[in-house]
Amino acid sequence: MSPLRAAGPKEWALLGVLAATWGTAFAFISFALDAAPPGALAFARLALAAVMLTVWAYAIGEKLPEINDKRWLWFIALGLFGNALPFTLIPWGQQFIPSAVAGILLAFMPLMTVAMAHVFTDEKMTKITAIGFLVGFAGVVVLIGPAALGGLVGGDFIAQLAVLGAALSFATNVVIARRAPPMHPLVSAAGMLILAAVWTAPYGLWDLMTHARPNVAGWAAALWLAIGPTALGSVIYMRLVTTAGAGFLATTNYIVPVVALGAGLVLGEAIGLSAPLGLIIILVGIVIARRGQRAASRSGQT
């Protein structure tokens, strides 16, 4: 694995591409749902991305572990929480809420990660990180509460909870990934996506055969979701995390929801005032929590 270095123009350019790819994914999901229901979309996206990354891994001389290798047990968990669950919950939720709201709700993920790490690892929250978590949670309440009571964003309360469930799933995946054995990033991504496709196959194939629709624009959007946010996004993610580090990569937590909000506005979605207000509060919570983590790191706390 390459040593970490200070982020240069190339790293910042890749970060911009990654943020744009991930941030606009919610808008493409809205289009893809015109062709494929949530289960079919999740399976098609994951299966195609798994094939592409597996071919890429073998093309550079890396091989997947033998079938009896214990790393496949990690792939089972990573595939479930990192891909299968969230990639099904997010499009299901987006059937009832705007894409921008889904992107903003997922901004709560890094704060969920802090809370889960406090419970399941030795990375304990400080007072400052706890304050950041509570501020971010207040932002979620601002976003969901008025929407549920007054329909300000035209969203369904259960659908918003589903997207929050996806954020919780992503956070769980981060905690699991921290405990996973070391392996080449491309191999771990390919193995994770293969198992994610297996997780979604039963319901996804049935959904694909019974409810898919011949919508060219929708399937084009689904194809891009596999190539861009899933496969290409994974490759860029792996490059940045191994060259510039996870701290630099965490910058996407601030950019992606803003891009998602902008894409929703371009699509003409009825978003309401609670969405940008909730986003601002959540981002403030992330800033506070990250300052708490940096202060703890400097003082030698875990």
Side-chain angles (χ1 to χ4, degrees):
M1 186 174 293
S2 303
L4 296 182
R5 60 172 181 265
K10 182 180 294 185
E11 283 73 28
W12 280 104
L14 288 173
L15 186 78
V17 173
L18 184 63
T21 302
W22 282 355
T24 56
F26 306 98
F28 280 100
I29 288 173
S30 297
F31 288 110
L33 287 171
D34 291 334
L41 176 58
F43 172 72
R45 174 183 180 180
L46 290 167
L48 181 56
V51 171
M52 288 188 289
L53 287 190
T54 300
V55 171
W56 178 275
Y58 276 88
I60 65 171
E62 296 292 336
K63 295 182 179 180
L64 293 173
E66 297 292 333
I67 195 65
N68 59 347
D69 194 303
K70 291 183 178 180
R71 284 176 289 180
W72 284 104
L73 297 177
W74 289 97
F75 293 157
I76 290 174
L78 293 170
L80 176 63
F81 292 104
N83 299 98
L85 275 177
F87 283 12
T88 302
L89 289 171
I90 293 170
W92 184 87
Q94 281 192 228
Q95 294 178 112
F96 310 100
I97 63 174
S99 65
V101 174
I104 294 171
L105 287 170
L106 280 173
F108 193 57
M109 186 274 288
L111 295 173
M112 284 185 171
T113 303
V114 170
M116 292 197 67
H118 177 81
V119 176
F120 296 107
T121 74
D122 58 357
E123 298 178 27
K124 302 303 180 183
M125 284 195 291
T126 64
K127 291 181 180 179
I128 297 177
T129 54
I131 291 172
F133 176 84
L134 292 175
V135 170
F137 184 76
V140 173
V141 172
V142 168
L143 180 61
I144 289 185
L149 297 175
L152 295 181
V153 298
D156 179 86
F157 181 65
I158 302 300
Q160 294 180 74
L161 289 183
V163 178
L164 277 178
L168 178 61
S169 184
F170 280 134
T172 303
N173 188 66
V174 171
V175 175
I176 295 173
R178 289 177 182 175
R179 294 175 172 268
M183 65 189 90
H184 192 283
L186 191 52
V187 171
S188 61
M192 177 178 65
L193 289 175
I194 290 171
L195 267 297
V198 171
W199 275 113
T200 56
Y203 177 60
L205 286 171
W206 179 82
D207 227 8
L208 193 63
M209 293 184 293
T210 58
H211 296 96
R213 296 171 290 276
N215 184 293
V216 175
W219 283 112
L223 179 62
W224 169 247
L225 286 170
I227 297 173
T230 309
L232 178 62
S234 295
V235 172
I236 296 175
Y237 175 91
M238 291 182 295
R239 176 182 172 84
L240 288 178
V241 79
T242 55
T243 58
F248 175 74
L249 193 62
T251 308
T252 57
N253 294 326
Y254 305 98
I255 305 173
V256 168
V258 176
V259 174
L261 178 61
L265 292 173
V266 170
L267 290 177
E269 294 178 340
I271 296 173
L273 294 177
S274 62
L277 179 58
L279 172 60
I280 291 171
I281 297 173
I282 292 171
L283 294 183
V284 169
I286 295 174
V287 171
I288 295 173
R290 282 184 58 77
R291 285 186 176 179
Q293 289 176 312
R294 287 195 294 267
S297 177
R298 287 194 297 269
S299 63
Q301 298 177 29
T302 56

